[in-house]
Amino acid sequence: MSVKNEIIFSAGGRIKEVLGLVDDGLFEEFNELRFRSKRPAFVKYRGKEYFLLNNGKLSSEGKNGDCFIPESRDIKEFIRVLSGYSLYAFSEEIKNGYITIEGGHRIGITGRTVVRNNAIESITSFCGINIRISHEIKGCGEKIKKYIYENGVCKNTVIVSPPGLGKTTLLRDIIRILSLKGKNVAVADERGEIGGMWHGMCLNDVGPRTDVLDGCPKSEGMITLLRSMSPDIIAADEIGSDRDARAIETIMLGGVSVICTIHGGGLDDVLNRTCIGQMGGKKFTRFIELRRIENKTEAVVKNEKGNVIGTEVIRHDH
Amino acid sequence: MTIKLIGAAAIIISSWVAGIMFSMKSAYRLEDLEEFKKAVSIFSDSISLSAPPISEIFKDISKRVNGPVAMIFDDAGKMAEGKNYPSAEEIFKNAVDKNIKNLYFEAGEMDCLYSFGKNLDLEYSHEQKNGASIIISNINLNQKALKEQAEKDKRLYSSAGVLCGILMCVILF
């Protein structure tokens, strides 16, 4: 199914109508779609932001009357249809602020939170959605392989970047490449974005020797996979908590390699601020920083001492 | 004389049978209500146990209940899968309207049906469960009244059928 059909099938109401007017080819290159109640809708296309017009076209200027401006009821109807009219079935996801749909696309949700015991119990009175479109880019990890995989051994690797630069896309391709190399890779896919699981089927190509544990908390998932799936490598997306760090240390001590991603501005930011800097004993030996330069995404590979050992362009925008 | 007796017996029996058939309407109403009550119970259990999407619950219900109620839930399940409606309430209402000619429900039971539809768009499973409990309570009240009504109708219409038959015989002969 094309990206457009995956999104539109999940959509409802006026938002579905407007998205249906967008050119199919154009839709495939969208990165994000943002809909906010009573404000113009935006589309991120090839790294730049455009207004979404009522006729499905994009514009860099937002003239009154031309821009698509959703109402609160449009947002609510979208989420209602997205959930298959079963908001109760997505209470955990809504509590976390997002729902992942077929294809691994993540729909972020904002609204009024219901808080209990200082934790978000639910979100209600929806007022905004952010559709992050998952793009499988096969081959983007090929140039990185030589830095992290030597003599049949995968180095403990973390991919660092701010949001939106393609950490998950790169991680997915690295998993696929290592799986093709003969390694058993186990993935703790908390948000369902890596495998794009749908009704038990892995819709993204993660390789023939990859096992995916979908929708589980990362730390518990990684330990479960270590015990049950005899992996050579365990992968996880967006680690950050102390529990994640402890699980990773346990995995490394068990002789299994770890590849993961983390939000951050760069290696120094990650070492100073996050759980990775506080890990004792076994640590990561490869750091891949992603950065955007003009129309391309670049990966800067560093070793455990912080020295740059390679720079590769992993993605060009057309 | 013999022929007249046979004819009179035939008239009385057929009008008695016609009376019984009129009284069956209440019995069918009761049956459909019982199936609807079963459906609401299954729905309530499903959302508190495994919480699958509504389309799956409806399809499951359509296999586990009988009659026009099963057809309503089957149609509702297909509509929910298609995702072409703005709300679950509208889906259910459309499914009910599509099958209304097969139902023997009257105003009170139809209220229960449409209330169930409104219940479907509540956000939390505990709210839906509470709503389902209220609907089941209303169904129980309706069933009690309907059982008494069904008994009365059976006696009334079968007696009326026999009396009509006798009257027709008197007029004819």
Side-chain angles (χ1 to χ4, degrees):
Chain A
M1 205 189 270
S2 69
V3 170
K4 183 177 173 183
N5 287 336
E6 283 168 352
I7 303 289
I8 285 181
F9 180 69
S10 297
R14 288 177 64 222
I15 294 177
K16 179 174 182 166
E17 285 169 19
V18 169
L19 292 180
L21 297 172
V22 176
D23 177 72
D24 292 3
L26 194 68
F27 208 114
E28 293 295 317
E29 293 191 74
F30 284 176
N31 304 117
E32 273 181 13
L33 293 145
R34 287 183 183 265
F35 299 95
R36 299 178 178 98
S37 174
K38 295 193 194 311
R39 283 170 284 174
F42 289 98
V43 172
K44 200 168 179 184
Y45 167 67
R46 293 185 181 176
K48 289 184 184 166
E49 211 168 55
Y50 298 88
F51 290 95
L52 177 64
L53 305 183
N54 287 313
N55 58 9
K57 293 192 182 339
L58 303 185
S59 171
S60 49
E61 295 164 6
K63 287 181 188 167
N64 281 339
D66 289 346
C67 293
F68 174 61
I69 299 177
E71 299 289 329
S72 302
R73 61 172 179 274
D74 297 321
I75 307 278
K76 186 165 185 181
E77 189 177 332
F78 181 94
I79 294 169
R80 194 188 282 145
V81 175
L82 171 72
S83 69
Y85 314 97
S86 316
L87 284 171
Y88 60 83
F90 289 86
S91 54
E92 269 309 304
E93 286 90 337
I94 290 173
K95 197 162 67 173
N96 293 328
Y98 61 86
I99 295 176
T100 307
I101 62 171
E102 182 181 359
H105 311 298
R106 187 165 62 172
I107 318 268
I109 298 168
T110 56
R112 182 174 167 76
T113 55
V114 176
V115 176
R116 201 163 286 173
N117 299 326
N118 287 326
I120 296 175
E121 169 99 345
S122 182
I123 299 177
T124 186
S125 302
F126 307 116
C127 63
I129 46 180
N130 173 25
I131 305 172
R132 283 191 52 178
I133 294 175
S134 165
H135 288 289
E136 192 180 19
I137 303 177
K138 285 189 187 176
C140 64
E142 286 293 343
K143 293 178 184 174
I144 303 298
K145 185 178 66 184
K146 61 180 182 276
Y147 300 106
I148 66 172
Y149 185 75
E150 275 179 64
N151 301 322
V153 175
C154 179
K155 297 185 188 301
N156 295 316
T157 304
V158 64
I159 304 168
V160 185
S161 87
L165 290 192
K167 293 188 296 299
T168 307
T169 306
L170 179 60
L171 176 66
R172 186 187 299 119
D173 201 52
I174 289 173
I175 290 167
R176 181 188 66 84
I177 289 167
L178 293 172
S179 185
L180 284 168
K181 277 277 177 201
K183 293 296 176 189
N184 286 320
V185 185
V187 181
D189 197 1
E190 184 170 357
R191 297 193 319 272
E193 289 186 309
I194 300 173
M197 297 292 281
W198 186 253
H199 294 309
M201 291 183 298
C202 204
L203 297 181
N204 291 327
D205 184 1
V206 288
R209 296 177 184 81
T210 302
D211 303 299
V212 179
L213 196 58
D214 183 50
C216 62
K218 282 184 286 290
S219 49
E220 282 85 359
M222 287 192 281
I223 298 297
T224 300
L225 288 166
L226 177 68
R227 289 174 188 151
S228 63
M229 300 310 293
S230 303
D232 300 310
I233 301 163
I234 287 181
D237 198 15
E238 289 187 13
I239 62 159
S241 68
D242 292 337
R243 289 179 69 159
D244 293 341
R246 284 198 296 275
I248 289 169
E249 281 183 315
T250 306
I251 291 163
M252 288 179 181
L253 286 168
V256 174
S257 302
V258 175
I259 304 179
C260 57
T261 71
I262 191 166
H263 280 309
L267 175 58
D268 293 334
D269 182 35
V270 159
L271 291 176
N272 291 333
R273 193 180 48 82
T274 69
C275 61
I276 290 183
Q278 279 129 41
M279 278 171 63
K282 288 267 187 179
K283 294 190 183 191
F284 290 96
T285 53
R286 287 291 181 268
F287 298 88
I288 303 172
E289 291 178 359
L290 298 183
R291 58 188 184 197
R292 191 158 181 82
I293 296 175
E294 291 176 352
N295 291 339
K296 54 191 180 196
T297 305
E298 212 171 66
V300 178
V301 187
K302 295 181 178 176
N303 61 13
E304 60 273 25
K305 292 177 184 166
N307 300 326
V308 176
I309 58 172
T311 303
E312 303 286 350
V313 172
I314 59 168
R315 183 179 167 176
H316 278 283
D317 290 334
H318 299 290
Chain B
M1 189 64 193
T2 311
I3 292 170
K4 275 186 182 177
L5 280 172
I6 292 168
I11 290 170
I12 291 169
I13 288 169
S14 41
S15 55
W16 172 69
V17 167
I20 298 271
M21 291 190 67
F22 270 118
S23 73
M24 289 302 285
K25 189 182 166 191
S26 297
Y28 291 144
R29 229 171 110 191
L30 210 50
E31 255 179 47
D32 287 345
L33 200 55
E34 185 59 35
E35 294 301 314
F36 179 52
K37 183 173 149 187
K38 217 195 298 178
V40 177
S41 289
I42 295 169
F43 177 82
S44 179
D45 289 341
S46 297
I47 57 168
S48 40
L49 290 170
S50 51
I54 224 162
S55 54
E56 284 180 28
I57 298 180
F58 284 172
K59 282 182 179 173
D60 183 42
I61 290 172
S62 72
K63 288 174 189 162
R64 291 162 70 179
V65 301
N66 298 309
V69 175
M71 288 157 66
I72 289 171
F73 280 94
D74 187 49
D75 286 334
K78 286 173 185 160
M79 289 179 199
E81 253 186 352
K83 291 190 177 182
N84 287 321
Y85 292 86
S87 66
E89 182 185 350
E90 199 162 314
I91 285 173
F92 195 74
K93 187 175 180 304
N94 277 299
V96 168
D97 292 343
K98 192 178 166 191
N99 290 282
I100 204 163
K101 59 183 183 305
N102 301 321
L103 279 169
Y104 287 90
F105 284 175
E106 291 186 7
E109 294 94 59
M110 292 305 292
D111 280 345
C112 287
L113 264 181
Y114 291 129
S115 295
F116 178 73
K118 284 192 171 71
N119 195 52
L120 295 171
D121 281 321
L122 295 172
E123 286 177 23
Y124 301 105
S125 58
H126 68 266
E127 287 178 339
Q128 296 216 12
K129 215 172 144 59
N130 290 342
S133 299
I134 292 169
I135 290 165
I136 289 174
S137 303
N138 289 339
I139 291 172
N140 286 336
L141 286 171
N142 278 5
Q143 271 182 322
K144 195 178 167 192
L146 202 50
K147 270 179 192 155
E148 290 167 6
Q149 184 68 35
E151 284 299 310
K152 278 185 197 168
D153 283 351
K154 196 173 171 184
R155 286 195 300 269
L156 174 69
Y157 285 112
S158 55
S159 307
V162 169
L163 284 172
C164 276
I166 293 169
L167 186 62
M168 278 165 65
C169 291
V170 165
I171 292 168
L172 286 170
F173 301 123

